[in-house]
Amino acid sequence: MLFLKSKKTIYLKNISKLTYASFFTSAFYYIINQKAIPVISWMNVYGIEEYMEKDLTNFILFLKGLMIPIPINLAILEYFSVKIFGDTRVVTEWLYCVGFVFLFTAPPFLIRKRPFAFFISILISVIFYFSSLKIHIGNPQSYDIFFPLLLLIVIIIFKKIESCQIPKSYHFIFFGILISMLEFMRPFALLFLIPLLVFFIILLKRKKSISIFALFAILPILLLNLPYHIHLYKNHNQLTMTNHSGYNIQRAWPQVMPNRSLEELNAKPTRPGRWPNINTMEHRDNSNYLLSRIFLHIKKHPADSIIHGIKNISNFLFYQYELLNLKPEGCIKILFYIFRFLSYVYLFYQFFLLFKNSIKLVIFNTDALVLILIFLQVILFSLTESGETMRFTIGILPFFALLPKFKFKKSK
């Protein structure tokens, strides 16, 4: 009996390895001609002409004047790509394709030593990868891939720290650089730094010897991100890298309508053929006004707001939605909706177990962190956006392939 079980395990291992190799190869084959949109082209306010025409000094001045949510780290990479190669291929082709593939192929590889889990993880990744390829054609923003990719790499570093008795100095250095780049990527990234830093501190306390290199983890934030946010507040009167959040959130709360005109007189396009220039204080003020209206509505109508919030979450999790009339079709469409449904049911089942067994008994490891990060993204995206939720789903789905679950201490 033991021999037969061992033979089945070996057979499953070999099948999984072959399937994974086929998935990895085909993943690159099907994405090779797919490209992302340059981040400088967000809302068609600016374009690659800004890269081509500006020298480094003027480009830095251009970045200092940005109020719209263009990730400056990606913009800098695109700038040098244009200066060296004549286009943005380094970010929008090379890094985008490699990052997309790594985002979906890395999770199964991380649990490859557990044969059955490895096979299930590959199955989840295959379905979500090929459906995500179809979804992202509609509006291929590179930061949709790079943001969850950085989160995933942070998780990998945490797993390394967890598994070794004495963490290496480069673990802390990489972690500091990654969370710094992560925070530059999206306006809401600050919310993700809280659980990441809390878990980092917990990991350090668990280790008998804490290296002085742990201080390097916060140096990039102190030297790069903090001065950037001080600059935003001092020069643009905004705390985060966006003057547009009110418009995004209002789409998730359509019942909240402005009671004054939002017409912007200073929105003349930066060049012929471009959309209105929203990189202005006027647009920031309108955005803040919409935010204040939404918060006021929630304050005045708490019961209705809770019901609406639950509906938004339900729509995000379980309903069919599309972006620019593009969505998975055929067999992959059916599998996508089935596996997406099962994944979110699994997520809420895990949190049911969390509250059933008492939060005090949970072992706060990387699996727990992954579940918290997934849950945080679900709540954030469902309550703050309505028109492009399909895109944001792409950044959540790969984490399910890690098959995370809460572990609990034995109650006394």
Side-chain angles (χ1 to χ4, degrees), residues 165-208:
Q165 186 174 0
I166 302 176
K168 307 296 183 183
S169 58
Y170 60 80
H171 289 150
F172 305 125
I173 296 171
F174 285 162
F175 172 72
I177 294 172
L178 285 169
I179 61 171
S180 174
M181 294 300 102
L182 183 77
E183 200 278 324
F184 278 129
M185 200 73 69
R186 305 300 295 132
F188 52 75
L190 278 169
L191 296 175
F192 290 84
L193 292 192
I194 298 171
L196 292 177
L197 290 173
V198 168
F199 185 69
F200 181 68
I201 293 171
I202 290 174
L203 277 183
L204 291 181
K205 286 186 176 181
R206 287 177 184 167
K207 303 301 174 181
K208 295 179 180 179

mmCIF file of all heavy atoms in Angstrom, residues 165-208:
data_model
loop_
_atom_site.group_PDB
_atom_site.id
_atom_site.type_symbol
_atom_site.label_atom_id
_atom_site.label_comp_id
_atom_site.label_asym_id
_atom_site.label_seq_id
_atom_site.Cartn_x
_atom_site.Cartn_y
_atom_site.Cartn_z
ATOM 1 N N GLN A 165 17.816 30.742 9.887
ATOM 2 C CA GLN A 165 17.966 31.063 11.299
ATOM 3 C C GLN A 165 18.449 32.497 11.497
ATOM 4 O O GLN A 165 17.952 33.215 12.371
ATOM 5 C CB GLN A 165 18.950 30.087 11.952
ATOM 6 C CG GLN A 165 19.058 30.255 13.472
ATOM 7 C CD GLN A 165 19.909 29.187 14.114
ATOM 8 O OE1 GLN A 165 20.423 28.308 13.432
ATOM 9 N NE2 GLN A 165 20.080 29.249 15.422
ATOM 10 N N ILE A 166 19.425 32.896 10.704
ATOM 11 C CA ILE A 166 19.940 34.260 10.773
ATOM 12 C C ILE A 166 19.758 34.918 9.400
ATOM 13 O O ILE A 166 20.404 34.503 8.437
ATOM 14 C CB ILE A 166 21.429 34.285 11.176
ATOM 15 C CG1 ILE A 166 21.629 33.604 12.526
ATOM 16 C CG2 ILE A 166 21.938 35.724 11.214
ATOM 17 C CD1 ILE A 166 23.081 33.506 12.952
ATOM 18 N N PRO A 167 18.881 35.915 9.275
ATOM 19 C CA PRO A 167 18.658 36.568 7.983
ATOM 20 C C PRO A 167 19.935 37.197 7.440
ATOM 21 O O PRO A 167 20.786 37.674 8.196
ATOM 22 C CB PRO A 167 17.618 37.642 8.306
ATOM 23 C CG PRO A 167 16.972 37.188 9.570
ATOM 24 C CD PRO A 167 18.033 36.471 10.332
ATOM 25 N N LYS A 168 20.071 37.180 6.131
ATOM 26 C CA LYS A 168 21.219 37.786 5.475
ATOM 27 C C LYS A 168 20.994 39.281 5.298
ATOM 28 O O LYS A 168 19.858 39.752 5.193
ATOM 29 C CB LYS A 168 21.451 37.142 4.104
ATOM 30 C CG LYS A 168 21.554 35.620 4.138
ATOM 31 C CD LYS A 168 22.771 35.159 4.925
ATOM 32 C CE LYS A 168 22.891 33.637 4.879
ATOM 33 N NZ LYS A 168 24.024 33.141 5.688
ATOM 34 N N SER A 169 22.083 40.018 5.228
ATOM 35 C CA SER A 169 21.973 41.473 5.086
ATOM 36 C C SER A 169 21.266 41.870 3.795
ATOM 37 O O SER A 169 20.509 42.836 3.761
ATOM 38 C CB SER A 169 23.371 42.104 5.133
ATOM 39 O OG SER A 169 24.200 41.575 4.108
ATOM 40 N N TYR A 170 21.504 41.089 2.721
ATOM 41 C CA TYR A 170 20.901 41.457 1.444
ATOM 42 C C TYR A 170 19.379 41.277 1.461
ATOM 43 O O TYR A 170 18.662 41.894 0.665
ATOM 44 C CB TYR A 170 21.516 40.669 0.285
ATOM 45 C CG TYR A 170 21.385 39.168 0.353
ATOM 46 C CD1 TYR A 170 20.206 38.534 -0.021
ATOM 47 C CD2 TYR A 170 22.455 38.394 0.767
ATOM 48 C CE1 TYR A 170 20.091 37.154 0.024
ATOM 49 C CE2 TYR A 170 22.348 37.000 0.815
ATOM 50 C CZ TYR A 170 21.164 36.396 0.447
ATOM 51 O OH TYR A 170 21.057 35.031 0.492
ATOM 52 N N HIS A 171 18.851 40.433 2.378
ATOM 53 C CA HIS A 171 17.403 40.306 2.513
ATOM 54 C C HIS A 171 16.798 41.655 2.888
ATOM 55 O O HIS A 171 15.777 42.081 2.325
ATOM 56 C CB HIS A 171 17.048 39.289 3.601
ATOM 57 C CG HIS A 171 17.345 37.878 3.198
ATOM 58 N ND1 HIS A 171 17.688 36.899 4.115
ATOM 59 C CD2 HIS A 171 17.361 37.270 1.990
ATOM 60 C CE1 HIS A 171 17.879 35.758 3.487
ATOM 61 N NE2 HIS A 171 17.702 35.961 2.199
ATOM 62 N N PHE A 172 17.427 42.333 3.841
ATOM 63 C CA PHE A 172 16.917 43.624 4.313
ATOM 64 C C PHE A 172 17.085 44.715 3.248
ATOM 65 O O PHE A 172 16.209 45.566 3.081
ATOM 66 C CB PHE A 172 17.640 44.038 5.593
ATOM 67 C CG PHE A 172 17.568 43.000 6.682
ATOM 68 C CD1 PHE A 172 18.719 42.516 7.277
ATOM 69 C CD2 PHE A 172 16.350 42.503 7.102
ATOM 70 C CE1 PHE A 172 18.659 41.553 8.277
ATOM 71 C CE2 PHE A 172 16.271 41.545 8.105
ATOM 72 C CZ PHE A 172 17.425 41.070 8.693
ATOM 73 N N ILE A 173 18.218 44.676 2.568
ATOM 74 C CA ILE A 173 18.472 45.679 1.522
ATOM 75 C C ILE A 173 17.449 45.544 0.397
ATOM 76 O O ILE A 173 16.849 46.534 -0.041
ATOM 77 C CB ILE A 173 19.911 45.533 0.977
ATOM 78 C CG1 ILE A 173 20.930 45.831 2.087
ATOM 79 C CG2 ILE A 173 20.117 46.468 -0.214
ATOM 80 C CD1 ILE A 173 22.365 45.507 1.717
ATOM 81 N N PHE A 174 17.219 44.313 -0.072
ATOM 82 C CA PHE A 174 16.244 44.084 -1.137
ATOM 83 C C PHE A 174 14.839 44.481 -0.689
ATOM 84 O O PHE A 174 14.076 45.088 -1.439
ATOM 85 C CB PHE A 174 16.257 42.607 -1.564
ATOM 86 C CG PHE A 174 17.440 42.234 -2.397
ATOM 87 C CD1 PHE A 174 17.806 40.903 -2.564
ATOM 88 C CD2 PHE A 174 18.203 43.196 -3.035
ATOM 89 C CE1 PHE A 174 18.908 40.535 -3.323
ATOM 90 C CE2 PHE A 174 19.307 42.853 -3.799
ATOM 91 C CZ PHE A 174 19.662 41.533 -3.948
ATOM 92 N N PHE A 175 14.501 44.121 0.552
ATOM 93 C CA PHE A 175 13.176 44.460 1.071
ATOM 94 C C PHE A 175 12.963 45.969 1.079
ATOM 95 O O PHE A 175 11.916 46.466 0.647
ATOM 96 C CB PHE A 175 13.003 43.895 2.483
ATOM 97 C CG PHE A 175 11.744 44.361 3.171
ATOM 98 C CD1 PHE A 175 10.514 43.885 2.767
ATOM 99 C CD2 PHE A 175 11.809 45.280 4.212
ATOM 100 C CE1 PHE A 175 9.346 44.315 3.394
ATOM 101 C CE2 PHE A 175 10.657 45.707 4.850
ATOM 102 C CZ PHE A 175 9.422 45.222 4.443
ATOM 103 N N GLY A 176 13.973 46.722 1.548
ATOM 104 C CA GLY A 176 13.855 48.178 1.587
ATOM 105 C C GLY A 176 13.680 48.786 0.208
ATOM 106 O O GLY A 176 12.841 49.674 0.000
ATOM 107 N N ILE A 177 14.461 48.306 -0.763
ATOM 108 C CA ILE A 177 14.353 48.822 -2.135
ATOM 109 C C ILE A 177 12.984 48.490 -2.725
ATOM 110 O O ILE A 177 12.342 49.336 -3.373
ATOM 111 C CB ILE A 177 15.474 48.237 -3.016
ATOM 112 C CG1 ILE A 177 16.840 48.751 -2.548
ATOM 113 C CG2 ILE A 177 15.256 48.592 -4.489
ATOM 114 C CD1 ILE A 177 18.021 48.076 -3.222
ATOM 115 N N LEU A 178 12.519 47.265 -2.487
ATOM 116 C CA LEU A 178 11.247 46.828 -3.066
ATOM 117 C C LEU A 178 10.057 47.613 -2.530
ATOM 118 O O LEU A 178 9.180 48.030 -3.298
ATOM 119 C CB LEU A 178 11.041 45.333 -2.801
ATOM 120 C CG LEU A 178 11.878 44.391 -3.659
ATOM 121 C CD1 LEU A 178 11.794 42.972 -3.125
ATOM 122 C CD2 LEU A 178 11.422 44.434 -5.111
ATOM 123 N N ILE A 179 9.993 47.824 -1.214
ATOM 124 C CA ILE A 179 8.850 48.558 -0.679
ATOM 125 C C ILE A 179 8.906 50.032 -1.079
ATOM 126 O O ILE A 179 7.876 50.686 -1.226
ATOM 127 C CB ILE A 179 8.721 48.413 0.854
ATOM 128 C CG1 ILE A 179 9.956 48.965 1.580
ATOM 129 C CG2 ILE A 179 8.441 46.970 1.238
ATOM 130 C CD1 ILE A 179 9.761 49.031 3.095
ATOM 131 N N SER A 180 10.113 50.540 -1.286
ATOM 132 C CA SER A 180 10.245 51.911 -1.784
ATOM 133 C C SER A 180 9.690 52.022 -3.198
ATOM 134 O O SER A 180 8.896 52.920 -3.511
ATOM 135 C CB SER A 180 11.719 52.342 -1.762
ATOM 136 O OG SER A 180 11.873 53.609 -2.367
ATOM 137 N N MET A 181 10.080 51.087 -4.069
ATOM 138 C CA MET A 181 9.588 51.087 -5.451
ATOM 139 C C MET A 181 8.085 50.795 -5.510
ATOM 140 O O MET A 181 7.363 51.347 -6.336
ATOM 141 C CB MET A 181 10.350 50.050 -6.282
ATOM 142 C CG MET A 181 11.830 50.372 -6.474
ATOM 143 S SD MET A 181 12.108 51.968 -7.316
ATOM 144 C CE MET A 181 12.561 53.020 -5.898
ATOM 145 N N LEU A 182 7.632 49.939 -4.601
ATOM 146 C CA LEU A 182 6.205 49.618 -4.521
ATOM 147 C C LEU A 182 5.389 50.863 -4.183
ATOM 148 O O LEU A 182 4.338 51.127 -4.785
ATOM 149 C CB LEU A 182 5.987 48.545 -3.450
ATOM 150 C CG LEU A 182 4.567 48.028 -3.266
ATOM 151 C CD1 LEU A 182 4.215 47.047 -4.378
ATOM 152 C CD2 LEU A 182 4.429 47.340 -1.902
ATOM 153 N N GLU A 183 5.893 51.648 -3.251
ATOM 154 C CA GLU A 183 5.167 52.842 -2.818
ATOM 155 C C GLU A 183 5.112 53.897 -3.914
ATOM 156 O O GLU A 183 4.148 54.663 -4.001
ATOM 157 C CB GLU A 183 5.828 53.398 -1.554
ATOM 158 C CG GLU A 183 4.946 54.314 -0.729
ATOM 159 C CD GLU A 183 4.914 55.737 -1.271
ATOM 160 O OE1 GLU A 183 5.961 56.203 -1.774
ATOM 161 O OE2 GLU A 183 3.848 56.388 -1.187
ATOM 162 N N PHE A 184 6.129 53.941 -4.769
ATOM 163 C CA PHE A 184 6.135 54.878 -5.889
ATOM 164 C C PHE A 184 5.162 54.462 -6.995
ATOM 165 O O PHE A 184 4.812 55.269 -7.849
ATOM 166 C CB PHE A 184 7.541 54.983 -6.499
ATOM 167 C CG PHE A 184 8.467 55.908 -5.779
ATOM 168 C CD1 PHE A 184 9.735 55.487 -5.405
ATOM 169 C CD2 PHE A 184 8.080 57.210 -5.486
ATOM 170 C CE1 PHE A 184 10.613 56.358 -4.746
ATOM 171 C CE2 PHE A 184 8.938 58.080 -4.824
ATOM 172 C CZ PHE A 184 10.204 57.647 -4.453
ATOM 173 N N MET A 185 4.749 53.188 -6.972
ATOM 174 C CA MET A 185 4.015 52.621 -8.094
ATOM 175 C C MET A 185 2.568 53.098 -8.183
ATOM 176 O O MET A 185 2.072 53.395 -9.259
ATOM 177 C CB MET A 185 4.057 51.092 -8.004
ATOM 178 C CG MET A 185 3.773 50.370 -9.299
ATOM 179 S SD MET A 185 5.122 50.491 -10.472
ATOM 180 C CE MET A 185 6.383 49.501 -9.691
ATOM 181 N N ARG A 186 1.859 53.128 -7.044
ATOM 182 C CA ARG A 186 0.448 53.483 -7.054
ATOM 183 C C ARG A 186 0.128 54.381 -5.864
ATOM 184 O O ARG A 186 0.754 54.271 -4.799
ATOM 185 C CB ARG A 186 -0.447 52.239 -6.976
ATOM 186 C CG ARG A 186 -0.199 51.180 -8.028
ATOM 187 C CD ARG A 186 -0.386 51.686 -9.462
ATOM 188 N NE ARG A 186 -1.743 52.058 -9.752
ATOM 189 C CZ ARG A 186 -2.080 53.204 -10.336
ATOM 190 N NH1 ARG A 186 -1.157 54.081 -10.658
ATOM 191 N NH2 ARG A 186 -3.332 53.483 -10.597
ATOM 192 N N PRO A 187 -0.873 55.262 -5.983
ATOM 193 C CA PRO A 187 -1.218 56.171 -4.883
ATOM 194 C C PRO A 187 -1.669 55.448 -3.618
ATOM 195 O O PRO A 187 -1.445 55.938 -2.511
ATOM 196 C CB PRO A 187 -2.369 57.006 -5.475
ATOM 197 C CG PRO A 187 -2.234 56.889 -6.952
ATOM 198 C CD PRO A 187 -1.658 55.537 -7.207
ATOM 199 N N PHE A 188 -2.312 54.284 -3.770
ATOM 200 C CA PHE A 188 -2.836 53.550 -2.618
ATOM 201 C C PHE A 188 -1.796 52.636 -1.980
ATOM 202 O O PHE A 188 -2.092 51.914 -1.024
ATOM 203 C CB PHE A 188 -4.063 52.730 -3.021
ATOM 204 C CG PHE A 188 -3.846 51.843 -4.217
ATOM 205 C CD1 PHE A 188 -3.119 50.670 -4.123
ATOM 206 C CD2 PHE A 188 -4.371 52.203 -5.451
ATOM 207 C CE1 PHE A 188 -2.917 49.855 -5.227
ATOM 208 C CE2 PHE A 188 -4.175 51.400 -6.573
ATOM 209 C CZ PHE A 188 -3.454 50.216 -6.450
ATOM 210 N N ALA A 189 -0.576 52.618 -2.503
ATOM 211 C CA ALA A 189 0.442 51.682 -2.015
ATOM 212 C C ALA A 189 0.790 51.904 -0.543
ATOM 213 O O ALA A 189 1.232 50.974 0.138
ATOM 214 C CB ALA A 189 1.709 51.793 -2.866
ATOM 215 N N LEU A 190 0.586 53.121 -0.053
ATOM 216 C CA LEU A 190 0.862 53.398 1.364
ATOM 217 C C LEU A 190 0.090 52.460 2.283
ATOM 218 O O LEU A 190 0.586 52.061 3.344
ATOM 219 C CB LEU A 190 0.496 54.856 1.690
ATOM 220 C CG LEU A 190 1.543 55.921 1.339
ATOM 221 C CD1 LEU A 190 0.933 57.320 1.457
ATOM 222 C CD2 LEU A 190 2.763 55.802 2.225
ATOM 223 N N LEU A 191 -1.126 52.087 1.878
ATOM 224 C CA LEU A 191 -1.948 51.187 2.690
ATOM 225 C C LEU A 191 -1.314 49.805 2.818
ATOM 226 O O LEU A 191 -1.496 49.123 3.828
ATOM 227 C CB LEU A 191 -3.348 51.057 2.077
ATOM 228 C CG LEU A 191 -4.193 52.331 2.029
ATOM 229 C CD1 LEU A 191 -5.494 52.079 1.290
ATOM 230 C CD2 LEU A 191 -4.477 52.839 3.441
ATOM 231 N N PHE A 192 -0.561 49.392 1.802
ATOM 232 C CA PHE A 192 0.049 48.073 1.812
ATOM 233 C C PHE A 192 1.343 48.055 2.623
ATOM 234 O O PHE A 192 1.777 46.992 3.060
ATOM 235 C CB PHE A 192 0.319 47.609 0.376
ATOM 236 C CG PHE A 192 -0.927 47.289 -0.391
ATOM 237 C CD1 PHE A 192 -1.643 48.284 -1.026
ATOM 238 C CD2 PHE A 192 -1.396 45.991 -0.455
ATOM 239 C CE1 PHE A 192 -2.800 47.997 -1.721
ATOM 240 C CE2 PHE A 192 -2.552 45.693 -1.149
ATOM 241 C CZ PHE A 192 -3.263 46.693 -1.786
ATOM 242 N N LEU A 193 1.941 49.215 2.813
ATOM 243 C CA LEU A 193 3.174 49.258 3.601
ATOM 244 C C LEU A 193 2.919 48.914 5.065
ATOM 245 O O LEU A 193 3.808 48.377 5.744
ATOM 246 C CB LEU A 193 3.803 50.653 3.509
ATOM 247 C CG LEU A 193 4.372 51.077 2.152
ATOM 248 C CD1 LEU A 193 5.202 52.341 2.317
ATOM 249 C CD2 LEU A 193 5.212 49.971 1.525
ATOM 250 N N ILE A 194 1.709 49.194 5.541
ATOM 251 C CA ILE A 194 1.400 48.944 6.953
ATOM 252 C C ILE A 194 1.516 47.463 7.300
ATOM 253 O O ILE A 194 2.305 47.086 8.189
ATOM 254 C CB ILE A 194 0.002 49.500 7.314
ATOM 255 C CG1 ILE A 194 -0.028 51.021 7.112
ATOM 256 C CG2 ILE A 194 -0.364 49.144 8.758
ATOM 257 C CD1 ILE A 194 -1.411 51.636 7.236
ATOM 258 N N PRO A 195 0.770 46.554 6.630
ATOM 259 C CA PRO A 195 0.930 45.127 6.973
ATOM 260 C C PRO A 195 2.319 44.581 6.644
ATOM 261 O O PRO A 195 2.825 43.705 7.354
ATOM 262 C CB PRO A 195 -0.146 44.429 6.130
ATOM 263 C CG PRO A 195 -0.479 45.375 5.029
ATOM 264 C CD PRO A 195 -0.280 46.745 5.607
ATOM 265 N N LEU A 196 2.946 45.104 5.587
ATOM 266 C CA LEU A 196 4.285 44.624 5.224
ATOM 267 C C LEU A 196 5.302 44.975 6.298
ATOM 268 O O LEU A 196 6.124 44.137 6.691
ATOM 269 C CB LEU A 196 4.714 45.222 3.881
ATOM 270 C CG LEU A 196 3.943 44.751 2.639
ATOM 271 C CD1 LEU A 196 4.440 45.492 1.402
ATOM 272 C CD2 LEU A 196 4.076 43.246 2.457
ATOM 273 N N LEU A 197 5.258 46.209 6.786
ATOM 274 C CA LEU A 197 6.210 46.633 7.812
ATOM 275 C C LEU A 197 5.928 45.973 9.153
ATOM 276 O O LEU A 197 6.859 45.620 9.892
ATOM 277 C CB LEU A 197 6.188 48.157 7.942
ATOM 278 C CG LEU A 197 6.785 48.941 6.753
ATOM 279 C CD1 LEU A 197 6.546 50.435 6.913
ATOM 280 C CD2 LEU A 197 8.276 48.642 6.611
ATOM 281 N N VAL A 198 4.649 45.796 9.469
ATOM 282 C CA VAL A 198 4.285 45.106 10.718
ATOM 283 C C VAL A 198 4.821 43.676 10.696
ATOM 284 O O VAL A 198 5.415 43.202 11.669
ATOM 285 C CB VAL A 198 2.755 45.111 10.924
ATOM 286 C CG1 VAL A 198 2.364 44.136 12.044
ATOM 287 C CG2 VAL A 198 2.270 46.513 11.256
ATOM 288 N N PHE A 199 4.621 42.985 9.565
ATOM 289 C CA PHE A 199 5.100 41.609 9.457
ATOM 290 C C PHE A 199 6.625 41.560 9.492
ATOM 291 O O PHE A 199 7.214 40.635 10.073
ATOM 292 C CB PHE A 199 4.583 40.977 8.165
ATOM 293 C CG PHE A 199 4.935 39.521 8.035
ATOM 294 C CD1 PHE A 199 4.344 38.577 8.861
ATOM 295 C CD2 PHE A 199 5.865 39.095 7.102
ATOM 296 C CE1 PHE A 199 4.670 37.228 8.757
ATOM 297 C CE2 PHE A 199 6.193 37.756 6.986
ATOM 298 C CZ PHE A 199 5.595 36.821 7.813
ATOM 299 N N PHE A 200 7.275 42.545 8.895
ATOM 300 C CA PHE A 200 8.732 42.622 8.909
ATOM 301 C C PHE A 200 9.247 42.736 10.347
ATOM 302 O O PHE A 200 10.212 42.058 10.729
ATOM 303 C CB PHE A 200 9.185 43.820 8.077
ATOM 304 C CG PHE A 200 10.678 43.983 7.996
ATOM 305 C CD1 PHE A 200 11.457 43.065 7.310
ATOM 306 C CD2 PHE A 200 11.309 45.057 8.609
ATOM 307 C CE1 PHE A 200 12.841 43.217 7.239
ATOM 308 C CE2 PHE A 200 12.676 45.219 8.537
ATOM 309 C CZ PHE A 200 13.443 44.292 7.859
ATOM 310 N N ILE A 201 8.599 43.566 11.131
ATOM 311 C CA ILE A 201 8.998 43.733 12.535
ATOM 312 C C ILE A 201 8.784 42.428 13.313
ATOM 313 O O ILE A 201 9.620 42.029 14.144
ATOM 314 C CB ILE A 201 8.203 44.890 13.179
ATOM 315 C CG1 ILE A 201 8.610 46.226 12.537
ATOM 316 C CG2 ILE A 201 8.433 44.937 14.693
ATOM 317 C CD1 ILE A 201 7.743 47.393 12.930
ATOM 318 N N ILE A 202 7.666 41.755 13.042
ATOM 319 C CA ILE A 202 7.385 40.469 13.711
ATOM 320 C C ILE A 202 8.455 39.437 13.368
ATOM 321 O O ILE A 202 8.929 38.696 14.247
ATOM 322 C CB ILE A 202 5.987 39.959 13.299
ATOM 323 C CG1 ILE A 202 4.900 40.846 13.915
ATOM 324 C CG2 ILE A 202 5.789 38.497 13.735
ATOM 325 C CD1 ILE A 202 3.499 40.519 13.454
ATOM 326 N N LEU A 203 8.851 39.396 12.108
ATOM 327 C CA LEU A 203 9.906 38.460 11.695
ATOM 328 C C LEU A 203 11.210 38.748 12.426
ATOM 329 O O LEU A 203 11.909 37.827 12.860
ATOM 330 C CB LEU A 203 10.128 38.555 10.186
ATOM 331 C CG LEU A 203 9.198 37.755 9.273
ATOM 332 C CD1 LEU A 203 9.615 37.928 7.820
ATOM 333 C CD2 LEU A 203 9.191 36.285 9.638
ATOM 334 N N LEU A 204 11.544 40.021 12.539
ATOM 335 C CA LEU A 204 12.793 40.385 13.209
ATOM 336 C C LEU A 204 12.780 39.976 14.676
ATOM 337 O O LEU A 204 13.787 39.520 15.226
ATOM 338 C CB LEU A 204 13.025 41.897 13.094
ATOM 339 C CG LEU A 204 13.356 42.435 11.697
ATOM 340 C CD1 LEU A 204 13.583 43.935 11.756
ATOM 341 C CD2 LEU A 204 14.593 41.748 11.124
ATOM 342 N N LYS A 205 11.625 40.136 15.322
ATOM 343 C CA LYS A 205 11.527 39.777 16.735
ATOM 344 C C LYS A 205 11.653 38.276 16.952
ATOM 345 O O LYS A 205 12.070 37.816 18.025
ATOM 346 C CB LYS A 205 10.198 40.280 17.312
ATOM 347 C CG LYS A 205 10.165 41.790 17.524
ATOM 348 C CD LYS A 205 8.884 42.220 18.220
ATOM 349 C CE LYS A 205 8.904 43.712 18.526
ATOM 350 N NZ LYS A 205 7.669 44.137 19.224
ATOM 351 N N ARG A 206 11.270 37.485 15.952
ATOM 352 C CA ARG A 206 11.345 36.038 16.073
ATOM 353 C C ARG A 206 12.781 35.517 15.979
ATOM 354 O O ARG A 206 13.078 34.409 16.416
ATOM 355 C CB ARG A 206 10.491 35.370 14.989
ATOM 356 C CG ARG A 206 8.995 35.486 15.225
ATOM 357 C CD ARG A 206 8.241 34.874 14.070
ATOM 358 N NE ARG A 206 6.812 35.065 14.228
ATOM 359 C CZ ARG A 206 5.921 34.860 13.264
ATOM 360 N NH1 ARG A 206 6.337 34.444 12.081
ATOM 361 N NH2 ARG A 206 4.645 35.059 13.487
ATOM 362 N N LYS A 207 13.648 36.297 15.369
ATOM 363 C CA LYS A 207 15.033 35.865 15.177
ATOM 364 C C LYS A 207 15.872 36.233 16.406
ATOM 365 O O LYS A 207 15.753 37.332 16.954
ATOM 366 C CB LYS A 207 15.631 36.511 13.914
ATOM 367 C CG LYS A 207 14.837 36.221 12.645
ATOM 368 C CD LYS A 207 14.742 34.734 12.361
ATOM 369 C CE LYS A 207 13.831 34.421 11.192
ATOM 370 N NZ LYS A 207 13.724 32.972 10.944
ATOM 371 N N LYS A 208 16.724 35.321 16.804
ATOM 372 C CA LYS A 208 17.548 35.566 17.990
ATOM 373 C C LYS A 208 18.556 36.678 17.754
ATOM 374 O O LYS A 208 18.891 37.443 18.638
ATOM 375 C CB LYS A 208 18.288 34.281 18.383
ATOM 376 C CG LYS A 208 17.356 33.162 18.820
ATOM 377 C CD LYS A 208 18.139 31.909 19.178
ATOM 378 C CE LYS A 208 17.210 30.785 19.605
ATOM 379 N NZ LYS A 208 17.952 29.537 19.935
#
